[in-house]
Structures are given as structure tokens and as C-alpha cells.
Amino acid sequence: PTFSTSCARCSKNRRLRQKRVLSERKLTRYFVDHRKVRVVGGQGGGGGHSFYSEPRKIFGGPDGGNGGDGGHVILKADRQMKSLSSVLPFYQGFHGEKGGSKNCYGANGAYMYVKVGTLVKEDGKVVADLTQHGEEYVAAYGGAGGKGNRFFLSNENRAPTLFTPGEPGQERVLHLELKTTAHAGLVGFPNAGKSSLLRAISNAKPAVAAYPFTTLNPHVGIVRYQDYEQVAVADIPGLIKGAHKNKGLGMAFLRHIERCRFLLYVVDLSVSQPWIQLQDLKYELEQYKKGLSERPCVVIGNKIDLAQSRINLPLLKEQIDDRVIALSALTGDNLEELLLHLRELYDTYVKTEQSLGQSPVKW
């Protein structure tokens, strides 16, 4: 009986763990970095049409108030938005209310806020780039409210019956394009250990396993320092040769590297001639966007815990001019050197932005 109870308990715990753990493929179903959205501003309320009347004052004159303006549709940058899956294909602002009697104006329509963190394009042209948290962009203006008959009162016309309807709101079709915002980007070929490294240095929990597989959507982790400074590091899905030609995951995720201020190239030290990986990675970045491979960087030689990696390390340093930090994301060896150098890259970026009069991105 004891044996069967123990087996039942183990089986139950296994099922619970399986429910809690989402596979990378299942997570990817909810990752959307492109969205076509139709936005329409709210319609303005119609103007009121009435005449003031009370006992012993029958001809009180026109008192129809103006209608309220329609509400705007506003895109608002939200740092927590990691996917556009929650963005709907259509948004409309709230309508303004009709003008009332006794010169009462109709209420304006409420604004419709859509949380994004994205590039906004219209007809292929960039119309907004929402990168700062809380930044807003009016995607569609609401229509103006109509005029009540009181508005048309004049010496020549003491009893106007004219009033106007509210104007329709602005209508646009926009293309939203998500680009991961992070200070540093982990760039490397599949199975170089980027996800394991991100888990080791930050609070992010990308999927890792004891067998080879490729991360299918970007993850952003926050590295926190003792002085409360925070550095965002993005795990960009693994590239392959020809990614700039849209092979493999291709350009679907190359654009996420554009936002990164500095790059962390992760190479597998255990493979033959690891410096070839670095050359291929820089080539793919340069082919996608000229100058992208020239951003401040450091080369991370991962899997130093393996014997072959220790043999390849001095050979790698001889072949390249960039700084090389050898570590093991699995055992945690030499992570401290990476964290210190990451902070140096971040501080240099902040000083550069401040010298240019710009505000550095904070997390």
C-alpha cells in the first residue's frame, strides 16, 4: 500500500509540473510582432435644437448647445508589452454626446488607449516610434461636435433653426511593428547557450533543456546592480547563415537587434574554429543593416567547462581583436567578469547619450 501511495503521489506531482511548464512552441503561439490595425476616431455629437420656454416667457430664444467632440484613439507605449497578440485589429474612439437644451454642451467622447511598444507605419512610412515608456501617439482624431442652434443666433436671425451634425472621426489603417527594446542583445547561433546565459545573469526564464533546440521568440531579462541600476538584456533567437536572406527565422528577429545599444556575441568554444562563428554573425548583421556589426560589443566564449573549449580559447583570442570573456552559463564560472563589463558598456552608453543631449533608456 505504501508503494502504491508513493507512486500515485509522484505521478500527481509529475502531472502538476507538466501543467506549469509551458513549452517554447506553445509560448510562441502568443508572440506576435506584426499587426495591421484599423483605427477610427469617435464621431462628434450632433448640435442641439431647442428654444427656451417657460411660463410668461414663451419666446425665450434658441438654447440648443453644441455637441461633444469624439474621442481620440491613442497608442501608448508600455514597457511591459512583449507581444502584439493582445492588440485587436480594430479600435474606435467613443462618440461625443448630443448637445442639450438650456445651452448644455454634450460631453466629449472618452479617449481610447491602446497599449503598445512599437514602431507605427502608414503606407510603408514610419509615422511614430514609441520607445519611451508612457509615450503617446494620436492614431486617429475624434470628430468635432456639431453646433447647436444657439450658435447661429444673430441680430439678423433671432430664431435660428439651423443646427449641424457631428463630424465623423479620422479613419486610418496602421501597421504596428514590435521591436524588442533592450540595452544589450545576445547574438549567436542556435545552441550557443544564450538562453542559459540569460537565465544565469538576469530574472528572465527562457526555456532551456538538456537537448539541442532553438529559442523561437525574444526574451528580455533585467540585470540588477547594487546601486539599483538596471540593464536590460535581450535573448535574440538564434541566427543561421543566410538569415539576412530570410532563411530560418530570418529577418523576423533581426530587426529586434536594431534597438540594442551594444551586442554580446555568444560563441560555442567547444566547436572547431569558434572564431568562424563570430565572422558569420557579424556578416549577417552587416548584410541586414550596414553598421549594425560595428556597435560596441564583447565576445562571450561559452562552455569553458569543457576540455575542448579550454584548448580553443587561446586560439580564439589570437584570431580576433574584440575582448573575449570565457565563461560557463551552466556552472556559473566567470559570470562576474561579464557582469562587470556589461556595466561598463552600459555606463559608456549613458554618458554618450547625455553628451548628445538625449535621454538614455531606463528600466
Side-chain angles (χ1 to χ4, degrees):
T2 305
F3 177 76
S4 61
T5 303
S6 176
C7 287
R9 188 181 300 113
C10 290
S11 178
K12 181 179 179 181
N13 290 337
R14 192 181 303 112
R15 288 196 301 271
L16 289 174
R17 284 196 299 270
Q18 289 174 348
K19 285 183 178 180
R20 284 196 298 264
V21 178
L22 284 173
S23 69
E24 187 74 18
R25 187 169 298 278
K26 189 173 182 180
L27 283 169
T28 305
R29 293 189 312 172
Y30 304 103
F31 180 77
V32 178
D33 58 359
H34 270 91
R35 186 69 94 189
K36 180 180 178 181
V37 180
R38 179 169 160 256
V39 289
V40 181
Q43 180 160 343
H49 175 263
S50 64
F51 288 88
Y52 185 76
S53 179
E54 64 178 16
R56 295 182 299 277
K57 194 173 183 180
I58 301 176
F59 302 105
D63 68 350
N66 296 339
D69 295 334
H72 307 328
V73 178
I74 299 176
L75 304 181
K76 186 171 184 177
D78 189 338
R79 186 183 300 142
Q80 302 303 319
M81 292 292 292
K82 300 296 188 294
S83 171
L84 299 179
S85 58
S86 61
V87 177
L88 302 177
F90 174 73
Y91 288 96
Q92 181 165 26
F94 294 95
H95 300 318
E97 293 185 1
K98 182 180 179 181
S101 58
K102 299 182 180 179
N103 297 319
C104 289
Y105 281 34
N108 293 333
Y111 292 165
M112 169 73 71
Y113 285 94
V114 184
K115 291 184 178 180
V116 296
T118 180
L119 206 64
V120 185
K121 294 182 178 181
E122 185 177 24
D123 297 329
K125 297 181 180 179
V126 177
V127 295
D129 190 358
L130 305 177
T131 55
Q132 298 290 340
H133 183 71
E135 192 174 0
E136 296 181 0
Y137 172 71
V138 180
Y141 287 93
K147 303 299 184 182
N149 64 336
R150 170 73 181 184
F151 177 82
F152 297 98
L153 178 64
S154 65
N155 290 332
E156 292 75 23
N157 188 1
R158 305 303 299 172
T161 58
L162 178 64
F163 63 98
T164 60
E167 296 181 3
Q170 183 184 17
E171 182 173 351
R172 302 170 72 186
V173 176
L174 303 175
H175 292 266
L176 307 184
E177 183 178 305
L178 178 68
K179 290 188 178 181
T180 301
T181 302
H183 300 118
L186 292 172
V187 183
F189 287 119
N191 305 312
K194 301 186 301 300
S195 297
S196 298
L197 180 60
L198 187 64
R199 290 175 69 100
I201 64 175
S202 74
N203 61 349
K205 302 298 179 186
V208 296
Y211 52 86
F213 77 98
T214 301
T215 300
L216 297 177
N217 57 282
H219 297 273
V220 178
I222 306 299
V223 181
R224 293 182 171 87
Y225 291 89
Q226 290 183 349
D227 60 352
Y228 303 104
E229 195 65 82
Q230 298 183 137
V231 179
V233 181
D235 173 18
I236 308 298
L239 305 177
I240 64 171
K241 289 184 179 180
H244 69 279
K245 297 179 181 178
N246 217 19
K247 292 183 179 179
L249 296 175
M251 290 181 289
F253 295 114
L254 270 170
R255 63 175 165 272
H256 291 279
I257 303 174
E258 291 184 59
R259 298 284 189 188
C260 300
R261 274 62 179 181
F262 38 90
L263 303 177
L264 310 179
Y265 294 103
V266 183
V267 298
D268 185 350
L269 280 178
S270 65
V271 302
S272 176
Q273 297 181 319
W275 53 90
I276 301 297
Q277 296 181 45
L278 181 63
Q279 295 173 4
D280 291 338
L281 288 170
K282 288 191 174 184
Y283 175 78
E284 293 300 328
L285 297 186
E286 196 64 24
Q287 290 301 308
Y288 172 71
K289 184 177 181 181
K290 190 172 181 61
L292 191 57
S293 65
E294 299 174 1
R295 293 189 181 180
C297 69
V298 63
V299 179
I300 300 172
N302 194 20
K303 306 182 183 180
I304 193 61
D305 52 305
L306 302 179
Q308 186 61 41
S309 298
R310 290 190 288 272
I311 297 174
N312 289 336
L313 178 59
L315 300 176
L316 174 64
K317 291 183 177 180
E318 290 177 3
Q319 293 289 332
I320 64 175
D321 297 327
D322 298 314
R323 177 172 177 175
V324 179
I325 298 178
L327 53 79
S328 172
L330 180 64
T331 64
D333 292 346
N334 210 28
L335 287 179
E336 187 67 23
E337 182 182 353
L338 172 61
L339 293 173
L340 291 174
H341 187 65
L342 180 63
R343 181 58 188 271
E344 291 176 10
L345 290 171
Y346 174 76
D347 289 341
T348 302
Y349 151 70
V350 172
K351 291 178 182 178
T352 303
E353 292 294 296
Q354 290 175 345
S355 66
L356 295 175
Q358 299 178 0
S359 176
V361 176
K362 293 287 185 178
W363 285 76

